[in-house]
Amino acid sequence: MKNKVPQPAPVAGDMDWFVQARFGMFIHWGTYAAAARHEWVKHNEEIPDGEYEKYFRHFNPDLFCPQDWARMARDAGMKYMVITSKHHEGFCLWDTQYTDYKATNTPCGRDLLREVADAFRAEGLRVGFYYSLIDWHHPDFTIDPIHPMRNHPNAARLNEGRDMNRYREYMRNQVRELLTNFGDIDIIWFDFSYPTAEHKGLKGKGREDWHSEALLALARELQPGIIVDNRLDLPPEMADIHTPEQFQPHGWVTVDGKPVYWETCQTFSGSWGYHRDEATWKSPEQLIQMLVNTVSCGGNLLMNVGPTARGTFDDRAVRSLHAYAEWMRLHARSIYGCTQSAFEAPQDCRYTQNGNRLYLHVFAWPFRHLHLSGLAGKIEYAQLLNDASEIKVIEAPEDKPLPEWMKPGSVTLELPVIKPRVTVPVTRSLTKMSVL
Ligand code: GLC
């Protein structure tokens, strides 16, 4: 045994289901899907409101069928979903009382958020809402370093007519709606703060601009047990989960040296919102390795899909989900309820562990032998996970010299020469004692 498995300090949110689940779906959907070139298109191209409005006027996802989305998420092995109720562009997917800039006023005329939430619950997934603190449409949201109008010659003067008090009130009202009118909400994902940003004399936004403490208190009051992320710019211990984005942590995530509950969010390709021409789609192997890596470091993976403006998952997203579905059908036991192991995995392998069940994910299939250190005399039985076929466990002989092909201090698994026909093979060992 090498390390101790980290144990995060208790938090206010209900973490039990979350660490069991390990795998969720992120959904970024708004009128930017029509532009189809990143959810930050309004910022990137500095598009004025009047012009950006065309995506709202033409937003008509005629093929929208949230039951299909939910079924694909469930088949992929995902246990929860977090959807953008409102992203930075300010467009709201639900029938909010507080703005006209909402799905029910587009040609589709539907409360998309409610339909998505209902459909995912019907498939047994938990439901979370992402809510953008940033709003590039609201007339009271002041122009700041990332606002589409940041380079407007009169930005500072235009800000004089904007009143963040009114915007804060708007946010509170909306958060109240989201956490009151949609049943049990398991996660609220506020996004994001940038207090130190500066551009041409404009200042970034943080806790004082959002009144973060009050927003957090409101969320906890309306939905006790709700899990809240760490992007409100509050002291880290007030957040339930920490959210490394677009990179793979290589160990348990810590903040100020202390282990925390964490969830990494990732994309199938480089954009969150639907991006027609973005081409860096990850391979099935990368996708599965990302999930395994995450759980082997004690975290959750929130994998994003950006639906098209017709309301569909495009073919590349469907193929990616299918890669997860195929693998999870046989290997989900090495993901759900698993966490980091105290043992150190051999080269090109990752361990996950659930009680005395130790799962070894083999990223590069070796020739015949895998040597496991620290486990001599501790393995009761080993098998491949995909077909439950036995893997022989070879202990070092006590009375004879060690054969040349063994490694001192290790126990050896005898593998088939041919790699099992799955993307990432997993062996499961039953250890004789609970090692957590
Ligand atoms: C960033 C981006 C955003 C995306 C989010 C997901 O904060 O602003 O577009 O929604 O990350 O984590």
Side-chain angles (χ1 to χ4, degrees):
M1 191 170 323
K2 176 91 182 0
N3 312 299
K4 245 179 97 56
V5 179
Q7 183 54 53
V11 292
D14 174 5
M15 302 311 294
D16 290 349
W17 71 265
F18 187 81
V19 298
Q20 281 295 317
R22 287 303 183 208
F23 191 26
M25 176 180 276
F26 216 173
I27 301 177
H28 276 67
W29 203 34
T31 69
Y32 46 77
R37 50 183 193 277
H38 207 277
E39 76 284 357
W40 277 56
V41 60
K42 194 174 186 186
H43 159 102
N44 292 341
E45 298 176 19
E46 302 181 29
I47 306 175
D49 282 334
E51 195 187 325
Y52 196 80
E53 192 82 6
K54 66 186 169 199
Y55 303 126
F56 176 77
R57 277 187 279 111
H58 294 285
F59 192 70
N60 192 8
D62 59 320
L63 299 178
F64 172 59
C65 178
Q67 292 77 17
D68 284 352
W69 297 6
R71 192 186 24 78
M72 282 189 270
R74 195 201 62 187
D75 288 349
M78 291 154 163
K79 294 288 192 187
Y80 63 104
M81 175 276 293
V82 178
I83 183 168
T84 53
S85 58
K86 174 191 93 163
H87 201 263
H88 310 336
E89 66 173 358
F91 173 71
C92 299
L93 285 182
W94 80 104
D95 190 13
T96 171
Q97 280 185 49
Y98 300 99
T99 179
D100 292 333
Y101 198 49
K102 56 181 175 180
T104 41
N105 289 338
T106 64
C108 86
R110 292 159 74 171
D111 185 326
L112 301 169
L113 191 67
R114 181 170 304 283
E115 293 190 38
V116 171
D118 289 347
F120 276 74
R121 275 199 202 104
E123 289 289 353
L125 279 82
R126 292 189 182 242
V127 170
F129 290 154
Y130 167 112
Y131 182 80
S132 175
L133 301 163
I134 300 162
D135 196 313
W136 297 330
H137 178 268
H138 197 284
D140 283 310
F141 186 90
T142 50
I143 300 166
D144 65 20
I146 61 171
H147 194 280
M149 286 165 78
R150 64 196 172 283
N151 292 317
H152 192 287
N154 296 326
R157 199 169 47 76
L158 289 173
N159 272 344
E160 286 164 22
R162 293 174 177 241
D163 180 356
M164 281 294 286
N165 274 318
R166 281 199 298 251
Y167 177 65
R168 278 190 286 272
E169 186 61 24
Y170 174 75
M171 280 202 293
R172 284 186 71 79
N173 285 332
Q174 289 207 319
V175 168
R176 186 175 286 283
E177 271 183 339
L178 288 170
L179 300 187
T180 309
N181 299 343
F182 293 86
D184 287 342
I185 301 303
D186 294 291
I187 300 179
I188 181 117
W189 228 95
F190 292 112
D191 196 39
F192 65 81
S193 304
Y194 42 108
T196 56
E198 251 193 275
H199 176 75
K200 297 186 176 170
L202 301 167
K203 293 256 173 309
K205 291 189 174 71
R207 64 184 87 168
E208 279 131 43
D209 303 281
W210 320 128
H211 283 187
S212 292
E213 237 166 297
L215 263 188
L216 178 66
L218 179 68
R220 297 215 192 277
E221 173 205 319
L222 295 172
Q223 295 274 343
I226 195 167
I227 294 175
V228 187
D229 71 336
N230 64 328
R231 298 189 178 188
L232 281 163
D233 183 36
L234 289 170
E237 61 278 7
M238 292 179 81
D240 300 320
I241 52 169
H242 295 259
T243 55
E245 167 180 336
Q246 299 274 33
F247 71 91
Q248 277 281 280
H250 34 74
W252 198 297
V253 172
T254 59
V255 176
D256 302 331
K258 296 187 197 103
V260 291
Y261 290 104
W262 65 277
E263 173 194 70
T264 179
C265 46
Q266 305 287 350
T267 52
F268 284 148
S269 76
S271 166
W272 300 92
Y274 176 64
H275 196 317
R276 184 189 56 206
D277 303 331
E278 214 284 331
T280 61
W281 290 75
K282 297 174 182 80
S283 69
E285 199 170 41
Q286 281 175 312
L287 294 173
I288 288 158
Q289 291 185 357
M290 285 167 87
L291 175 61
V292 169
N293 261 323
T294 303
V295 179
S296 77
C297 298
N300 280 30
L301 174 65
L302 189 61
M303 184 50 86
N304 180 72
V305 181
T308 69
R310 293 200 71 184
T312 55
F313 290 178
D314 94 330
D315 56 312
R316 297 162 296 185
V318 170
R319 274 201 298 276
S320 302
L321 286 168
H322 191 71
Y324 276 124
E326 233 182 318
W327 189 82
M328 285 293 277
R329 189 172 73 81
L330 298 171
H331 302 97
R333 279 187 284 166
S334 73
I335 299 296
Y336 300 143
C338 290
T339 188
Q340 185 173 302
S341 171
F343 294 104
E344 196 171 356
Q347 199 179 3
D348 301 324
C349 295
R350 301 288 183 280
Y351 278 135
T352 61
Q353 190 164 344
N354 187 349
N356 65 348
R357 293 183 298 276
L358 182 64
Y359 298 96
L360 178 66
H361 304 77
V362 187
F363 286 2
W365 193 250
F367 173 56
R368 282 192 57 203
H369 296 131
L370 254 182
H371 310 287
L372 315 181
S373 69
L375 283 156
K378 289 187 179 146
I379 298 179
E380 188 184 311
Y381 185 73
Q383 59 176 214
L384 280 176
L385 206 49
N386 60 293
D387 62 357
S389 59
E390 184 183 8
I391 293 291
K392 282 197 183 147
V393 180
I394 307 170
E395 300 282 355
E398 276 169 21
D399 45 354
K400 287 193 272 203
L402 199 68
E404 217 178 325
W405 50 268
M406 288 196 83
K407 212 172 157 183
S410 298
V411 55
T412 298
L413 298 184
E414 190 179 77
L415 302 176
V417 171
I418 296 175
K419 180 188 161 204
R421 291 173 302 284
V422 295
T423 314
V424 174
V426 184
T427 71
R428 183 180 90 156
S429 305
L430 213 53
T431 57
K432 288 179 183 157
M433 52 191 178
S434 178
V435 283
L436 279 185

